[in-house]
Amino acid sequence: MPESIAVVRDLAPFDAATIDKREYLVLSRIKTLSTNQFTFLLALFYVCVFNIPLFGIVKQGIEKQADVNYIFIATIPLFLVFALSFIFSIFSVKYITKGFFITLTLLSSSVFFAALQYGVVFDYGMIENTVQTNTGEALTYLNFSSVVNFIATGLLPALLIYKVNIDYKPLVKELLHKILFMVAMLVGIAVIGFFFYQNYVSFGRNNDQMKRYIVPTYAVGSMIKYVNINYFQTPLVYLQQGLDAKNVTVDSNGKPNLVVLVVGETARAKNYQYYGYAKATNAHTSQYDMVSFQNTTSCGTATAVSLPCMFSSMTRKEYEPRRARAQDTLIDVLDHGGIDLLWLDNDSGCKGVCDRVKHINIDLNSDPQLCDGHYCYDQVLLNELDKALATPVEHDTMIVLHIIGSHGPTYYLRYPDEHRKFTPDCQRSDIQNCLDEELVNTYDNTILYSDYIISQVIQRLQAQQTVADTALVYVSDHGESLGESGMYLHGAPYSIAPSEQIDIPLLSWLSPEFSQENGIDLNCLKQQAASGTYSHDNLFSSLLGLMNVQSDIYKAQLDIFAQCRTSVENK
């Protein structure tokens, strides 16, 4: 029996009910914390658990240094505890404490898991990508590991926060204690800063990515930024662009141009046979005269950023999501120029790019053989393409196929069994628990299946050559990490993103008739593609040029086809 309870029993000859009541009061007191104790313990938990990925970055920084001050390194967790304790104290206010910190803990649990298992950082771009994620996409991240983590580091701590008794003192006394506690935390920070300021500045400058892994401050700051920009700032006045656009195609053979643009998802150049990969991941299109543009980079590392950016007139360095939403896209300018347009989408939507032209989002229950209610194989787009091509093409036309491609982490759900060529593969969503060979094989199967889709599109374009001059362009929105340097998936801040997430494939196929009628020298194009440097910045003007749309917004220096035009001028 605890000594405190024994003392209560000896105080007076009360009846059993009274003794039980006093026992309860004593035991309850043991579970009671002051607001300062609660705040400090919570900060300690956040540092010791949620900031484990941060200390992994610290470890990498230490390994890069020849001379390490380990006393300074030891102060980092202490500094974090002091800093979080100070910040948490601001929100440790009666009536809001539990609700606020339960919400924050559940959120931080998810952020922690994403950083620990996949190396994902929740910056503005990732917040934007998360907000735009549909239900089916979100469910792919639900697996045994994520559920266990959420229970262990989210639900259980949240339950403890809910159950704990917090002893709020009278207002003046509570405020005084809080101020003294916050001052003490600031003193701790100041002392560390006094002795190790230069160490923090130097180490932080050499390991700038550290700040992005601090939980919960960086993710919360990114969320506040996203909410402020999207919900509290005055919308920009919409800007129409390319109203002067006109189609200047020289139609000497009486046939219109028909171009299919395939927008890939999560395909990285590193795993393409066309870019030096040893495995035959382009076996289906290798029979066609494909042009692969080497050294091509994406505008972002997530669809929510890259897709609007690649169709924007802004370059990556100029790009601002808010401005992009308030102005015409490449699709709009093509529309102004008289091009017939159709957007077919089997991914997460066009992110506003195609809103003002005809577009079809695939019904996820439309085909029981190709769809499961959450996703469809990309073959479903071929069916829609067949419907579109059933009507003869009468004017210059561009059809966009937005494929789901290599969307992770459930790569194994992106290809049918008959396209499961590389084995053993990883038939699970917690990809961090797959063997490296299995994970790469699974991803390679998605690349090969996308290559099959492209080959099928080319076959359909070849069948149209009696009525149209046909061409195809394929470009991925961003790349993917498959465990290199401990990183998985995509969405890393661009400044620290590995090449796997930004090096992408850019391919083209031009029928002989299209090349001849549009004056494009294929040999010249292949030479240029092999030696040049390209990016999503090139897409806007290149497609205007390919469709022979003339406009003041067109930039010849960014048109990848311009230097190889022989007889037909776009400007």
Side-chain angles (χ1 to χ4, degrees), residues 316-470:
R316 185 186 71 79
K317 292 182 178 179
E318 299 168 338
Y319 180 74
E320 294 178 8
R322 188 164 172 254
R323 281 179 58 200
R325 287 191 294 271
Q327 65 184 35
D328 281 346
T329 69
L330 165 66
I331 300 299
D332 296 310
V333 177
L334 289 171
D335 187 41
H336 298 330
I339 304 300
D340 286 351
L341 294 155
L342 173 62
W343 184 292
L344 302 174
D345 205 296
N346 188 40
D347 201 0
S348 55
C350 70
K351 314 302 182 188
V353 170
C354 64
D355 286 355
R356 291 163 293 278
V357 301
K358 183 179 179 181
H359 58 277
I360 298 173
N361 292 319
I362 297 298
D363 182 351
L364 301 181
N365 295 295
S366 60
D367 190 321
Q369 293 184 329
L370 298 176
C371 306
D372 64 1
H374 299 292
Y375 287 102
C376 296
Y377 294 128
D378 282 324
Q379 281 173 257
V380 74
L381 287 170
L382 299 178
N383 297 339
E384 291 297 329
L385 181 61
D386 288 338
K387 293 177 185 177
L389 296 179
T391 301
V393 176
E394 297 181 351
H395 307 98
D396 284 2
T397 299
M398 176 179 286
I399 300 175
V400 182
L401 304 184
H402 188 195
I403 67 175
I404 197 168
S406 303
H407 197 295
T410 49
Y411 306 117
Y412 70 99
L413 296 178
R414 302 294 163 254
Y415 50 90
D417 284 342
E418 61 267 27
H419 290 271
R420 187 183 178 192
K421 303 301 182 184
F422 302 113
T423 56
D425 56 352
C426 174
Q427 298 281 313
R428 55 197 295 177
S429 63
D430 53 339
I431 55 176
Q432 71 279 6
N433 294 318
C434 299
L435 296 176
D436 290 343
E437 179 189 7
E438 294 175 342
L439 179 56
V440 172
N441 281 341
T442 311
Y443 184 80
D444 287 345
N445 282 331
T446 68
I447 300 297
L448 182 60
Y449 181 59
S450 294
D451 193 66
Y452 166 77
I453 298 298
I454 295 170
S455 72
Q456 290 296 302
V457 174
I458 293 175
Q459 287 183 23
R460 284 159 171 77
L461 291 177
Q462 288 178 326
Q464 292 287 316
Q465 289 182 144
T466 57
V467 295
D469 298 324
T470 58

Side-chain angles (χ1 to χ4, degrees), residues 187-209:
V187 169
I189 292 171
V191 170
I192 293 174
F194 178 80
F195 287 103
F196 301 104
Y197 174 77
Q198 291 299 333
N199 299 81
Y200 274 91
V201 171
S202 176
F203 195 79
R205 185 180 295 118
N206 293 329
N207 302 275
D208 183 64
Q209 70 271 31

Side-chain angles (χ1 to χ4, degrees), residues 99-113:
F100 177 82
F101 285 111
I102 286 173
T103 302
L104 186 65
T105 299
L106 294 175
L107 171 67
S108 297
S109 173
S110 299
V111 172
F112 157 69
F113 181 77

Side-chain angles (χ1 to χ4, degrees), residues 13-47:
F14 295 121
D15 58 29
T18 304
I19 292 174
D20 289 342
K21 183 177 179 180
R22 290 199 174 190
E23 286 181 0
Y24 172 78
L25 290 174
V26 172
L27 289 172
S28 297
R29 185 67 180 175
I30 294 172
K31 294 188 293 181
T32 299
L33 300 173
S34 69
T35 52
N36 292 340
Q37 289 172 330
F38 171 80
T39 300
F40 187 82
L41 288 174
L42 190 64
L44 191 63
F45 170 76
Y46 270 63
V47 171

Side-chain angles (χ1 to χ4, degrees), residues 37-180:
Q37 289 172 330
F38 171 80
T39 300
F40 187 82
L41 288 174
L42 190 64
L44 191 63
F45 170 76
Y46 270 63
V47 171
C48 293
V49 177
F50 290 153
N51 281 280
I52 289 175
L54 168 67
F55 296 123
I57 302 299
V58 172
K59 180 176 179 293
Q60 293 176 15
I62 294 172
E63 292 171 348
K64 291 186 292 185
Q65 291 190 187
D67 185 21
V68 180
N69 185 334
Y70 286 100
I71 298 178
F72 153 67
I73 297 298
T75 68
I76 294 177
L78 195 60
F79 182 94
L80 275 176
V81 171
F82 291 157
L84 289 182
S85 294
F86 179 87
I87 295 170
F88 287 176
S89 289
I90 299 173
F91 301 96
S92 298
V93 179
K94 193 174 183 179
Y95 304 121
I96 73 165
T97 301
K98 290 191 175 183
F100 177 82
F101 285 111
I102 286 173
T103 302
L104 186 65
T105 299
L106 294 175
L107 171 67
S108 297
S109 173
S110 299
V111 172
F112 157 69
F113 181 77
L116 181 68
Q117 296 296 335
Y118 304 122
V120 170
V121 174
F122 276 81
D123 62 348
Y124 179 92
M126 181 53 70
I127 299 298
E128 184 177 42
N129 204 45
T130 302
V131 170
Q132 296 182 13
T133 297
N134 57 40
T135 303
E137 202 172 331
L139 287 175
T140 63
Y141 295 93
L142 188 65
N143 52 58
F144 180 77
S145 298
S146 63
V147 170
V148 169
N149 169 80
F150 190 68
I151 293 173
T153 67
L155 289 179
L156 289 180
L159 181 62
L160 290 175
I161 293 171
Y162 176 76
K163 290 289 188 181
V164 70
N165 293 317
I166 301 176
D167 179 23
Y168 297 101
K169 299 175 177 59
L171 180 61
V172 175
K173 191 174 182 181
E174 177 73 17
L175 185 60
L176 179 62
H177 279 231
K178 184 182 291 290
I179 291 173
L180 289 174

